[in-house]
Amino acid sequence: MPPASESVEAVSVPVLPLASGVGEVLRLPPVKPALDDPCAPLRALLQQYMTPEEVARVREAYELALAAHGEQTRRSGEPYIHHPVAVACILAELQLDIFTVQAALLHDVIEDCGISKEGLGERFGPEVAEMVDGVSKLGQVRFETREEAQAENFRKMFLAMSRDIRVVLIKLADRLHNMRTMGVMTPEKRRRISRETLDIYAPIAQRLGIHAIRIELEELAFSHLYPKRWHTLNEAVKAARGNRKEAVQKIEQALLDRLHQEGFEAQVSGREKHVYSIYSKMQKKGMAFSSILDLHAFRVIVADVDTCYRVLGIIHSLYRPIPGRFKDYIAIPKSNGYQSLHTVLLGPFGHPVEVQIRTEDMHRVAEAGVAAHWLYKTGMNHAHAETQARAWLQRLLELQTQGGDSQEFLESVKLDLFPDEVYVFTPKGKILSLPRGATAVDFAYAVHTDIGNQAVAARVNDMYVPLRSPLSNGDKVDIVTATSAHPQPGWLDVVVTAKARSSVRAYLKTIQREDAETLGRNLLEKALQSLGGNYQQLAAADWQRVLGTFNVQEEGQLLAAVGMGELFPLVVAHKLLPEEDDRGRLAQTARRLGQAVSQLLPSRLNREVAVKKPLLIRGTEGLPVTLARCCRPIPGDPILGFISAGKGVVVHTHDCHNIREWRKRRDRWVDVQWDPDAHGDFPVTIRVVAESARGVLARIATLISDEDSNIDHVDIEPQDGLYTGITFTILAHDRDHLAKIMRSLRSLPMVSRVQRVKN
């Protein structure tokens, strides 16, 4: 979140058209939009790589989208059809196939226009229908919080991706156009969407290798999230651009001249680092802008892989390489399929200069990533990028099958989206890519889940090390297993991969649930016995009757909840027993309940129960009752009761701040009311503001005593020298008695204010 002092007004951000990145690679000429026909820019793009028949089929999808959205408009006031057309244009610049472009045009018709998936399938085929359904949100499901809904929507999108990666390409294009047109939204919504973009969508684009889309998503999100920072850095980059223009031109020309002199044909181009990339480096390394010297990088594109290595030697003979800054992503590609040689040189002006060397084919994959697999009719083989993407999606499926709620799944995905890689070797020489900081435990789970579950030790470079040991580039790792071994809870503190974390959690949950079910069954059997019931005699109908009450799906879940203390066994036992109208039976079981409570709860709590006899709990007679100390309810106050493990029924006033979260847990509510004959002394807190004078405290204490009340505790807090705040904990019979005491206190001439204190 931006600092409070930072403005979040919309800023003018230059859109980075894909034609300057991917389009440049694909040789697409610029397209001028036609104001009278929203489909004209899309048609111009499609005509460059599709047949007239295919363009006509895309036109059918456009016409359906136009009719479906009808008079709908976006918040900016423009017709809604402009949005799906813009999304389709982004994908057409990537030269994606006809089905993807059709799905992009139709991606909102299921969610916003009521058109069925089946109807789309009949008209455009199941491939298009599946993609549109995968992009659509879970519109028919209601969630308690925005975070839960967001997590479940992402879960659905990732699962749809596992069936067809093109789903996420459409979603990325959809998010990109929304980011381009976000200026009309409120500052709060711009911040929320921008944060989501930086946390999820830009990393997905990075993971799939779609460089052009990732760059623009990051720039737009950064400009909306921190507009002042973006503007300041952008101006600084412009100023530096003018100062270093001559140096960039000199290095570019020197590289070209040396390569031509050696007889190599190559394309050499200098590029400027993007603002968000510079900002991230400043944040990560704690550097000032003036300390960042490598604002420019140079790209050399050659004919084949062999030439890449030859050119590397020539460039190293021209400028001295900086030790430790060379990376070979051709021999060991990145997890998203990216391949290139990276080297950092000491330039002619004493500044570091980064040079990337790659082939034309590698450059296409670097810009379009997994989308290069669908480059229309190019006949090119981009199997590596797609294989890596499929492997990542397969890991997501494994995370899904290991259980956990949607938010836990999204947390695991986020962990997996930020891999700063370490490359290690298996005993057989296979290379595995792991996030930096990964341990031997992460390696074990990367090999196979069973290997991780049974790991007991590790050999790294033929030396035994603890499983918690972090791994380094080039390590050879061998895991020692034992069938009797199992995951340890402490592993959750050291693992960094999503697969390892979710596997350990899944195992621990399975073990914990088994133990919890056993304990819950024992507790419930005792509770039923105390009520004269029998666990073995419960019918299936009895279980079905109460499952919905406690928001669980099966008997095992209910028992586990009892065992883990989430549900109180006596309350569950009451619900399980058949309902009877005979109140005499309830009175007879009250004594038994008290005996059961004495066995299940600490003696201190039993003494508290004995003090609070006047409170009547309808339907749960005999349960222990605790008056909350935060709001100190007294007879006459409107009250609410909640089941709490180890405390029984905890009673709060209905306006207590501490019960906000409990209001969502209806299965823990207990219907409570004060008994009309309740009597006794109940602690309650009041605050009196009085003049700072001799004898004031004595006068107030005497009056409280005269009103048939005692003082349990006093706190004195001097204020401004003229007045003193005095907080009393007094004993009151009920709400009327308290009101009488407070009226008497207000009648004293030295008292300025009297109020009851809660929370």
Side-chain angles (χ1 to χ4, degrees):
M1 296 293 290
S5 62
E6 185 161 345
S7 170
V8 289
E9 293 303 314
V11 294
S12 176
V13 185
V15 173
L16 308 175
L18 289 178
S20 66
V22 177
E24 180 183 88
V25 178
L26 303 178
R27 306 288 189 265
L28 296 182
V31 177
K32 295 182 179 179
L35 298 177
D36 55 337
D37 182 6
C39 197
L42 176 61
R43 184 170 60 250
L45 287 168
L46 297 178
Q47 287 172 346
Q48 297 176 53
Y49 70 96
M50 285 189 184
T51 65
E53 293 76 13
E54 289 168 332
V55 174
R57 288 165 58 193
V58 173
R59 179 78 188 190
E60 289 181 26
Y62 165 75
E63 290 172 351
L64 176 60
L66 182 63
H69 290 296
E71 300 299 321
Q72 290 181 3
T73 58
R74 307 192 79 206
R75 183 168 296 188
S76 61
E78 67 178 2
Y80 192 89
I81 190 62
H82 286 199
H83 171 64
V85 169
V87 173
C89 283
I90 293 171
L91 298 173
E93 289 180 357
L94 290 169
Q95 291 198 358
L96 291 182
D97 62 282
I98 179 174
F99 303 114
T100 311
V101 177
Q102 286 178 317
L105 287 168
L106 300 167
H107 77 271
D108 277 332
V109 298
I110 290 181
E111 183 179 345
D112 296 341
C113 306
I115 294 178
S116 68
K117 175 183 174 181
E118 292 74 18
L120 285 180
E122 290 176 4
R123 185 162 179 182
F124 298 101
E127 202 170 347
V128 172
E130 286 292 339
M131 281 190 277
V132 174
D133 182 59
V135 177
S136 300
K137 296 177 185 174
L138 299 177
Q140 305 304 315
V141 184
R142 294 292 176 263
F143 301 96
E144 291 186 2
T145 65
R146 179 192 296 275
E147 291 76 16
E148 184 182 347
Q150 179 203 48
E152 188 59 34
N153 281 324
F154 277 122
R155 186 206 285 261
K156 180 186 178 187
M157 183 183 75
F158 284 123
L159 295 181
M161 283 166 54
S162 67
R163 294 189 295 269
D164 193 333
I165 299 179
R166 289 172 293 180
V167 168
V168 78
L169 300 181
I170 298 171
K171 193 66 181 176
L172 288 172
D174 173 57
R175 175 52 61 106
L176 179 56
H177 184 250
N178 284 334
M179 292 296 296
R180 288 175 176 176
T181 57
M182 204 166 56
V184 297
M185 295 181 180
T186 63
E188 180 182 357
K189 193 167 185 179
R190 289 204 300 271
R191 284 196 300 266
R192 177 175 59 79
I193 294 175
S194 296
R195 173 52 61 196
E196 183 181 272
T197 299
L198 286 177
D199 286 349
I200 300 291
Y201 289 99
I204 288 176
Q206 166 76 2
R207 192 64 192 249
L208 298 179
I210 312 173
H211 177 75
I213 289 181
R214 174 185 68 86
I215 290 295
E216 189 174 349
L217 285 175
E218 288 177 344
E219 291 295 294
L220 291 169
F222 178 46
S223 68
H224 287 293
L225 195 60
Y226 302 121
K228 282 189 175 180
R229 300 181 197 183
W230 181 88
H231 180 77
T232 301
L233 279 177
N234 193 47
E235 292 301 314
V237 170
K238 287 181 180 178
R241 182 186 304 155
N243 296 336
R244 300 185 183 181
K245 185 176 181 180
E246 182 181 348
V248 172
Q249 291 175 345
K250 181 176 180 179
I251 294 171
E252 187 175 325
Q253 192 59 46
L255 290 172
L256 273 173
D257 291 345
R258 175 58 67 89
L259 291 174
H260 288 160
Q261 181 182 340
E262 298 292 336
F264 289 101
E265 290 294 326
Q267 303 173 39
V268 179
S269 59
R271 64 178 182 87
E272 191 176 79
K273 282 196 172 183
H274 298 281
V275 175
Y276 181 73
S277 175
I278 296 170
Y279 175 75
S280 297
K281 186 171 184 179
M282 292 169 62
Q283 292 288 98
K284 186 176 181 180
K285 298 188 176 182
M287 301 171 65
F289 178 81
S290 58
S291 302
I292 298 180
L293 303 176
D294 54 339
L295 290 178
H296 294 84
F298 295 86
R299 184 177 297 142
V300 180
I301 300 177
V302 297
D304 51 50
V305 173
D306 183 63
T307 306
C308 290
Y309 290 97
R310 292 174 181 269
V311 166
L312 176 69
I314 293 170
I315 291 177
H316 280 180
S317 69
L318 179 63
Y319 298 118
R320 182 179 302 170
I322 298 177
R325 301 292 298 275
F326 168 70
K327 296 177 182 177
D328 187 347
Y329 292 121
I330 293 180
I332 305 177
K334 287 189 176 183
S335 58
N336 57 18
Y338 175 89
Q339 291 182 287
S340 187
L341 295 178
H342 287 201
T343 185
V344 180
L345 315 169
L346 194 62
F349 298 96
H351 294 165
V353 175
E354 182 181 359
V355 178
Q356 302 169 359
I357 308 168
R358 61 181 69 148
T359 66
E360 183 82 21
D361 195 14
M362 293 174 189
H363 187 47
R364 290 176 183 270
V365 175
E367 294 296 312
V370 71
H373 177 73
W374 282 280
L375 284 176
Y376 200 81
K377 294 182 180 178
T378 60
M380 299 178 61
N381 181 16
H382 300 290
H384 185 74
E386 196 207 357
T387 300
Q388 295 285 25
R390 296 268 179 206
W392 176 57
L393 293 172
Q394 183 61 37
R395 290 199 296 273
L396 295 186
L397 276 181
E398 291 176 8
L399 297 180
Q400 161 71 12
T401 57
Q402 287 169 349
D405 58 21
S406 300
Q407 288 174 305
E408 186 175 308
F409 173 73
L410 182 57
E411 176 193 339
S412 298
V413 171
K414 284 183 177 180
L415 283 175
D416 210 37
L417 282 176
F418 297 92
D420 187 5
E421 287 114 341
V422 170
Y423 297 95
V424 295
F425 295 88
T426 69
K428 295 183 178 180
K430 179 182 176 182
I431 298 174
L432 286 184
S433 171
L434 296 171
R436 189 166 299 279
T439 64
V441 178
D442 294 295
F443 175 88
Y445 279 105
V447 174
H448 196 279
T449 303
D450 291 341
I451 300 293
N453 286 341
Q454 298 175 3
V456 292
R459 281 197 300 267
V460 177
N461 302 325
D462 298 322
M463 295 181 61
Y464 281 97
V465 299
L467 285 170
R468 295 167 174 259
S469 302
L471 303 177
S472 303
N473 265 325
D475 283 345
K476 186 181 77 170
V477 187
D478 187 13
I479 301 296
V480 181
T481 62
T483 54
S484 59
H486 55 79
Q488 302 298 316
W491 289 359
L492 291 174
D493 297 329
V494 298
V495 297
V496 299
T497 60
K499 181 178 181 181
R501 184 176 296 276
S502 61
S503 297
V504 174
R505 279 178 174 171
Y507 179 86
L508 295 177
K509 281 184 178 179
T510 300
I511 298 301
Q512 290 170 355
R513 173 159 174 171
E514 290 175 359
D515 293 341
E517 281 191 29
T518 302
L519 177 60
R521 183 178 292 105
N522 293 335
L523 292 174
L524 198 54
E525 285 178 353
K526 291 181 180 179
L528 285 166
Q529 288 174 6
S530 70
L531 296 174
N534 189 322
Y535 183 89
Q536 305 301 329
Q537 295 177 357
L538 290 174
D542 296 326
W543 290 104
Q544 286 299 124
R545 189 179 68 252
V546 301
L547 292 180
T549 303
F550 296 107
N551 196 29
V552 294
Q553 304 297 321
E554 58 181 1
E555 177 184 340
Q557 281 183 276
L558 185 60
L559 294 175
V562 172
M564 289 186 288
E566 296 176 1
L567 297 176
F568 200 73
L570 286 169
V571 174
V572 178
H574 256 301
K575 301 289 186 182
L576 281 168
L577 290 176
E579 297 180 2
E580 294 186 23
D581 295 330
D582 184 7
R583 297 293 177 183
R585 178 183 178 278
L586 291 176
Q588 291 174 5
T589 58
R591 181 175 55 82
R592 294 175 183 167
L593 276 167
Q595 294 172 350
V597 168
S598 66
Q599 297 173 2
L600 295 173
L601 295 172
S603 57
R604 179 185 61 80
L605 186 55
N606 292 325
R607 290 196 298 270
E608 293 180 0
V609 174
V611 173
K612 300 174 178 59
K613 286 181 181 176
L615 195 64
L616 174 65
I617 308 297
R618 285 201 307 234
T620 57
E621 289 82 353
L623 286 177
V625 177
T626 303
L627 298 181
R629 295 176 61 85
C630 51
C631 54
R632 296 191 183 278
I634 60 176
D637 285 338
I639 52 176
L640 294 173
F642 303 93
I643 297 293
S644 178
K647 296 182 180 179
V649 179
V650 181
V651 178
H652 295 260
T653 59
H654 77 291
D655 57 349
C656 179
H657 293 170
N658 291 336
I659 65 173
R660 290 176 179 172
E661 291 301 316
W662 287 92
R663 291 182 181 274
K664 301 175 184 177
R665 301 294 305 274
R666 301 188 67 90
D667 59 306
R668 309 285 284 272
W669 288 17
V670 177
D671 183 15
V672 297
Q673 67 177 21
W674 294 103
D675 188 286
D677 299 326
H679 62 276
D681 292 324
F682 298 85
V684 62
T685 304
I686 61 173
R687 188 169 187 273
V688 179
V689 178
E691 295 176 359
S692 298
R694 182 177 299 176
V696 169
L697 180 58
R699 289 282 305 275
I700 295 175
T702 300
L703 188 146
I704 291 175
S705 178
D706 291 343
E707 292 294 344
D708 191 25
S709 178
N710 286 326
I711 299 174
D712 265 4
H713 186 75
V714 178
D715 278 327
I716 301 177
E717 178 190 351
Q719 292 190 326
D720 55 5
L722 298 177
Y723 289 91
T724 298
I726 311 173
T727 302
F728 295 93
T729 300
I730 65 174
L731 299 179
H733 307 322
D734 52 31
R735 192 181 177 94
D736 291 339
H737 185 207
L738 176 63
K740 182 180 178 184
I741 296 171
M742 294 174 67
R743 282 197 302 271
S744 298
L745 289 173
R746 291 190 183 104
S747 67
L748 294 176
M750 71 285 295
V751 172
S752 171
R753 185 168 68 251
V754 181
Q755 65 185 93
R756 182 177 177 182
V757 177
K758 296 182 182 180
N759 303 296

